Amino acid sequence: MTTFPAASAPILYGSRSSGADLLDWSWACDRLTTATTYWIATVRPDGSPHCRPVWGIWLDEAVWFSTGSLARRNLVHNDAITVHLDDGDAALIVEGRATRVSDRVALEEMCTVYGPKYDWPMHPTHPETEDAGIGDDHGADGPVFAVRPATVFAWTSGMGTPTRWRFPRH
């Protein structure tokens, strides 16, 4: 079921934007679907930040990604995460919580979307176990996380049409 969150005017640089022009949620979904690079920001156990680019997909109203980086260990200690796209002229920032995915059907669905998107075939590894994730035929593998948005911010070139979407807690 697709969720259409209500758009509102965010506070930018200390004051509320006018809210006269707000982006439609479909604009955000299109950007999340077609993006190639997703930047993830997590927090190390000592509180310091960690940021990395990853490949990912927009599936079932969540950003899905796999990583072998330090982020996977950070998310065990603190599941808070920010995901943003790499275009400052069409900015899109997702704030939420990362959930580890181990279900075989969900991992297979991710691979079905992820592989063709990047022309990089993937397959589930160790589904239904604590080591569940996805891997490729070259030996690279990692856990899979799904990030359901809590809040999403977006704007277009020159800080135009600033928009905030808030989602109910799951």
Side-chain angles (χ1 to χ4, degrees), residues 10-163:
I11 295 173
L12 297 174
Y13 302 107
S15 63
R16 186 165 306 282
S17 59
S18 72
D21 265 337
L22 297 174
L23 295 165
D24 189 76
W25 180 240
S26 64
W27 179 89
C29 290
D30 289 345
R31 297 271 300 128
L32 287 163
T33 299
T34 60
T36 303
T37 304
Y38 304 76
W39 284 83
I40 58 171
T42 61
V43 180
R44 292 179 175 99
D46 69 3
S48 60
H50 178 262
C51 189
R52 290 291 181 270
V54 296
W55 284 355
I57 61 170
W58 178 247
L59 176 67
D60 294 333
E61 301 180 53
V63 177
W64 294 57
F65 67 93
S66 178
T67 183
S69 81
L70 178 60
R72 71 178 186 208
R73 289 188 292 280
N74 294 344
L75 292 169
V76 169
H77 297 282
N78 184 342
D79 64 355
I81 188 167
T82 299
V83 181
H84 67 91
L85 306 184
D86 61 352
D87 185 349
D89 286 328
L92 189 69
I93 305 161
V94 175
E95 297 176 347
R97 302 262 173 209
T99 302
R100 180 88 185 258
V101 179
S102 61
D103 177 74
R104 175 183 292 279
V105 173
L107 293 171
E108 287 173 353
E109 187 175 358
M110 182 197 183
C111 292
T112 298
V113 176
Y114 184 102
K117 180 178 181 178
Y118 294 102
D119 192 24
W120 199 270
M122 302 296 285
H123 54 83
T125 59
H126 317 291
E128 315 297 341
T129 72
E130 67 180 37
D131 293 326
I134 61 173
D136 64 19
D137 291 338
H138 305 285
D141 66 1
V144 170
F145 297 92
V147 180
R148 298 216 179 274
T151 306
V152 176
F153 295 95
W155 56 84
T156 57
S157 185
M159 300 292 289
T161 59
T163 306

